[in-house]
């Protein structure tokens, strides 16, 4: 089909635009013609109810200060330099008078090791999270504290902000010399997001577990979940909840939190630490640089899953660390203990209330089983052989005792490469049920890889896409993810589960972007990506209806661009740069004997000419790009000598450089000097095109040669061919899939148009007999649109289209996701 220019008639889209219900395309007269042909008589893949879910990891303060509704930060005085170098046991507290955090025999219990000794006439004030403690006028808040005072005392508990009191102060009489819990309740007299909680004592006292909870939690549960955040998860209607990680389960020590292990704080997430009374749960250093209290633990995860009608899908450590640590734990007794812990977890979830761990669950308030059916062992292990040896032991033990539990493996941290290939082969050979894949790639990658699962073995392990996202929260990112999701559904016989990641981000404590739901201490908002996920999750269907669509005309020009040099957490020296055209003409030559005037510095770091070499000297700087040449160059050879001088990684040689966000580079000795790869940056987001294990030596000069011919690139290291690739996959902006809702009989036509032109589309429903009206849900906005606390640029619009027939036309707006629900007669 060809691109034409025309004026929109009074189509459904034109009517919606005129009515202001969807934004007009960026260029209202630009239209591309497409055709969709549906075969309603053919039987496509069955789609499971659990197809789409969510992944909760405690990253970006997703738990404490987030989904866990506790308003007091560091309530148990357990913060430590082990969590973050800036922390002390009094982080987020201020003292009036005299107070001291103690770790001695007077503690509340062995796992809650630090408490506060407060002198007579002294007080402590807590600052909460973000700007402070948020309270709403007229709402109730429950205070509690564990305290002891040898001579008895009265605690005065107050809520205030800079403008005055927020609730009537409460007096709490501490009557026992031993530890006991004391409670009080507040009603907020006005709304504030800057509140402070103060506890003052008339006489000397010891305090621990100082807590303030909103009464209005999700489903009204004590020790519960923040209502607005839990409701946003529930509104997705996810088929499963994967938890608790992520990097939390495969980093740090695999020991327990006990005297025997020295109360190690940097531990992997272990489920037994997180159940039972909250004051008896262990504390831990979170991998992402803060403390996790475990107030939100396995019991709460299971309850959330049950409450929202989702399948719980826990992940347990495999005793091989990842996320940059990459160490296999060799301790047979420890391995057996973790395997037994996993069996105990299944009993905790599914065992009768009379069983050892079922009794623990029942005492926590849930006598009935949670009906656990899936469990995942490990997460993104970068040592596939070592991981798989341990995985097999976990699987054998689980299958022997619980043969109905499906045990899920993984394929490492990347979407391709030697680790991925090795892991997949091991999984196939062992006939693993399901393999978890993870990838975070550019929007371009998601448009190019809609067909990723078309060629997967239909008889091999199924795929769990446990973590994925394009690199941003603009509507463009949501569009490209939606385009990719049509491919997931089309391949629902292979891809059985999929979850965007991460789920939450507190805007003031961000370690990872992008994220699905954003929040602070008083508000939360849906990203554009969330709106896409919600649209798909609420309109899944039960079976794929086979369909085909025409593509977008495109001409792939040769790879063009200048050349560049860069480093990442490394100092390196470059010399003898030469760029030669395919015709033999010299385009650039530089031995730096006369300076570096040909080079433009667009990145970080510090570059200078030293001893006839161009040297980047800041060992901590990342992405220090300098570039030279003409962005229109194509079909050339780039040769350069590179020497690593110091630091964590190797060096980066760029080609096809258009600007700071669009280029290719050969990352030699990347990922802490463990592998080399070619990465493509498009619009600032990077994707890996080819990767291999390997490292570079410090002080050794390497000869690098990059040959660019058309869209084919061949790479040579020290005269030997290292690898190559052809970047000729079209980034198709028009994608579709059709599914059927068995309950309603609806055909659900799902179309993504990720371009600035409208898509005028002829739709052929075959011989399906359909009603003339369709329910339409449209997401349409500018590609750079972003949702925020104060502005919702991307939101669904519902309408009715009265023009459906066996064959009909529909114009899908530019930059849109549209779902047509068509009733079959």
């Amino acid at each position: 089909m060809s691109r034409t220019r025309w004026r929109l008639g009074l189509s459904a889209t034109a009517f919606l635009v005129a009515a202001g219900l969807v934004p007009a395309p960026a260029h209202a007269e630009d239209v591309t013609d497409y055709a969709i042909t549906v075969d309603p008589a053919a039987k496509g893949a069955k789609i499971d109810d659990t197809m789409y879910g969510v992944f909760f990891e405690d990253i970006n303060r997703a738990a404490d200060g987030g989904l866990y509704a506790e308003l007091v930060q560091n309530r148990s005085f357990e913060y430590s330099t082990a969590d973050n170098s800036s922390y002390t046991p009094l982080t987020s507290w201020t003292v009036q008078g005299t107070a001291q955090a103690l770790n001695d025999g007077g503690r509340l219990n062995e796992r809650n090791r630090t408490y506060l000794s407060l002198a007579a006439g002294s007080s402590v004030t807590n600052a909460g999270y973000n700007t402070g403690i948020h309270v709403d006028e007229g709402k109730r808040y429950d205070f509690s504290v564990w305290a002891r005072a040898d001579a008895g005392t009265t605690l005065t508990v107050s809520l205030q902000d800079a403008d005055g009191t927020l609730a009537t102060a409460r007096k709490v009489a501490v009557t026992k010399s031993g530890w006991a819990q004391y409670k009080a309740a507040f009603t907020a007299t006005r709304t504030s997001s800057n509140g402070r909680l103060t506890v003052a004592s008339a006489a000397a006292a010891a305090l621990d577990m100082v807590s303030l909870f909103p009464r209005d939690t999700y489903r009204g549960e004590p020790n519960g979940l923040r209502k607005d955040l839990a409701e946003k998860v529930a509104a997705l209607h996810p088929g499963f909840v994967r938890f608790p990680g992520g990097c939390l389960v495969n980093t740090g020590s695999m020991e327990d939190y006990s005297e025997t292990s020295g109360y190690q704080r940097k531990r992997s997430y272990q489920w037994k630490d997180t159940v039972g009374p909250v004051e008896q749960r262990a504390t831990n250093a979170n991998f992402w640089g803060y403390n996790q209290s475990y107030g939100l633990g396995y019991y709460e995860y299971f309850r959330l899953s049950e409450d929202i009608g989702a399948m719980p899908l826990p992940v347990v450590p495999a005793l091989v660390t990842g996320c940059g640590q990459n160490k296999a734990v060799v301790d047979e007794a420890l391995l057996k203990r973790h395997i037994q812990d996993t069996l105990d977890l299944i009993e905790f979830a599914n065992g009768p209330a009379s069983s050892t761990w079922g009794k623990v669950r029942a005492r926590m308030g849930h006598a009935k089983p949670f009906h656990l059916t899936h469990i995942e062992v490990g997460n993104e292990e970068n040592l596939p052989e070592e991981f798989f040896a341990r995985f097999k032991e976990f699987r054998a033990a689980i299958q022997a005792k619980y043969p109905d539990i499906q045990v899920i493996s993984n394929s490492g941290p990347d979407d391709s490469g030697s680790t991925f290939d090795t892991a997949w082969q091991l999984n196939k050979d062992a006939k693993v049920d399901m393999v978890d894949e993870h990838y975070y790639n550019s929007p371009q990658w998601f448009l190019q890889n809609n067909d990723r699962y078309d060629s997967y073995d239909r008889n091999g392990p199924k795929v769990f896409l446990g973590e994925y996202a394009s690199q941003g929260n603009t509507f463009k990112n949501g569009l490209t993810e939606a385009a990719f999701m049509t491919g997931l559904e089309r391949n629902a016989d292979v891809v059985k589960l999929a979850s965007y990641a991460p789920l939450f981000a507190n805007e003031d404590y961000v370690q990872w972007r992008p994220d699905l739901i954003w929040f602070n201490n008083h508000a939360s908002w849906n990203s554009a990506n969330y709106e896409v996920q919600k649209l798909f999750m609420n309109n899944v269907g039960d079976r794929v209806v086979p369909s085909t669509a025409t593509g977008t005309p495109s001409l792939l020009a040769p790879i063009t661009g200048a050349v560049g040099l860069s480093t990442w957490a490394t100092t390196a020296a470059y010399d003898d740069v030469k760029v030669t055209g395919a015709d033999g003409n010299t385009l650039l030559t530089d031995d730096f004997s006369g300076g570096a005037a040909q080079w433009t510095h667009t990145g970080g770091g510090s570059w200078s000419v030293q001893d006839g070499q161009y040297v980047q000297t800041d060992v901590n700087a990342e992405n220090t790009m300098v570039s030279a040449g003409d962005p229109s160059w194509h079909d050339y050879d780039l040769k350069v000598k590179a020497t690593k001088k110091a630091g964590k990684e190797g060096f980066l040689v760029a080609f096809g450089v258009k600007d700071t966000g669009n280029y290719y580079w050969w990352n030699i000795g990347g990922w802490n000097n463990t592998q080399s790869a070619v990465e493509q940056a498009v619009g600032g987001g990077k994707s890996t095109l080819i990767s291999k294990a390997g490292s570079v030596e410090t002080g050794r000069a390497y000869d690098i040669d990059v040959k660019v011919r058309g869209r084919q690139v061949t790479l040579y290291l020290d005269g030997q061919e290292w690898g190559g690739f052809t970047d000729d996959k079209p980034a198709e902006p028009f994608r579709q899939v059709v599914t059927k809702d068995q309950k309603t009989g609806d055909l659900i036509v799902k179309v993504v148009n990720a371009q600035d032109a409208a898509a005028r589309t002829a739709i052929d429903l075959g011989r399906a007999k359909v009603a003339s009206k369709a329910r339409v849900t449209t997401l349409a906005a500018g590609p750079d649109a972003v949702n925020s606390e104060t502005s919702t640029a991307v939101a669904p619009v519902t309408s009715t289209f009265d023009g459906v027939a066996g064959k009909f036309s529909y114009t899908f707006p530019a930059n849109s996701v549209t779902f047509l629900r068509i009733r079959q007669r």
Side-chain angles (χ1 to χ4, degrees), residues 360-421:
V360 173
R361 182 194 70 238
R363 279 201 297 262
M364 294 183 73
H366 202 281
K368 293 182 179 179
F370 282 118
H371 306 295
L372 179 67
T373 58
H374 293 63
I375 197 163
E376 182 173 355
V377 177
N379 169 77
E380 290 188 13
E381 282 72 27
N382 213 15
L383 302 171
E385 300 279 0
E386 292 86 342
F387 159 73
F388 206 74
R390 290 155 180 77
F391 171 83
K392 288 192 294 185
E393 293 196 51
F394 275 88
R395 184 177 67 162
I398 294 168
Q399 289 183 338
K401 189 167 184 179
Y402 300 105
D404 293 335
I405 296 289
Q406 189 166 87
V407 187
I408 301 171
S409 179
N410 76 80
S411 59
D414 303 307
D415 62 87
S416 60
S418 57
T419 296
F420 178 88
D421 293 340

Side-chain angles (χ1 to χ4, degrees), residues 157-200:
V157 188
S158 57
L159 269 171
Q160 68 285 323
D161 64 9
D163 295 326
T165 60
L166 293 170
T168 303
R170 294 285 184 256
K171 301 286 187 180
V172 176
V174 178
T175 58
K176 296 182 179 179
S177 58
W179 287 104
Q181 189 180 37
Y182 301 89
K183 298 180 179 181
F186 292 94
T187 299
T189 54
R190 57 188 175 85
T191 296
S192 174
S193 295
N194 307 303
R196 300 291 188 267
L197 176 76
T198 298
V199 182

Side-chain angles (χ1 to χ4, degrees), residues 38 61 75 86 121 134 160 285 291 296 329 405 623 702 714 809:
V38 183
R61 288 277 189 189
R75 66 181 177 183
S86 68
H134 176 77
Q160 68 285 323
N291 176 272
L296 179 61
V329 178
I405 296 289
N623 195 0
Y702 289 83
T714 311
S809 293

Side-chain angles (χ1 to χ4, degrees), residues 44-48 51-52 450 453-454 458 465 481-496 498 532-533 535-546 736-740 748-751 819:
K46 181 181 181 296
I47 307 174
D48 295 340
M51 174 77 183
Y52 295 122
N450 176 275
Y453 297 105
D454 290 2
R458 269 42 207 169
L465 181 49
E481 290 155 6
F484 188 74
M485 292 170 78
T486 66
L488 300 182
E489 291 193 5
R490 188 177 63 252
N491 289 286
D493 57 328
V494 169
V495 183
K496 306 306 286 183
V532 166
Q533 293 289 325
L535 187 56
F536 273 85
M537 287 195 205
N538 285 276
N539 296 276
V540 181
D542 302 286
R543 187 173 290 280
V544 175
V545 180
Q736 60 80 39
V737 69
V738 181
T739 64
K740 182 179 180 180
I748 311 172
V749 179
K750 311 174 187 184
V751 176
F819 281 25

Side-chain angles (χ1 to χ4, degrees), residues 505-548:
N506 185 319
E507 67 173 352
D508 292 332
Y509 308 93
V510 180
Q511 295 87 42
W512 186 277
R513 297 173 189 268
D515 303 286
L516 204 63
I517 300 168
W518 288 81
F519 65 93
N520 51 36
N521 65 352
H522 62 275
S524 57
W525 55 98
N526 305 331
S527 67
N529 320 65
Y530 174 98
E531 296 297 350
V532 166
Q533 293 289 325
K534 184 179 179 183
L535 187 56
F536 273 85
M537 287 195 205
N538 285 276
N539 296 276
V540 181
D542 302 286
R543 187 173 290 280
V544 175
V545 180
S547 60
T548 58

Side-chain angles (χ1 to χ4, degrees), residues 558-582:
I559 291 173
T560 60
V563 298
L565 311 171
S566 190
T567 60
W568 198 286
T570 304
T571 63
Y574 291 95
D575 204 356
D576 297 333
V577 179
K578 188 172 184 179
V579 182
T580 308

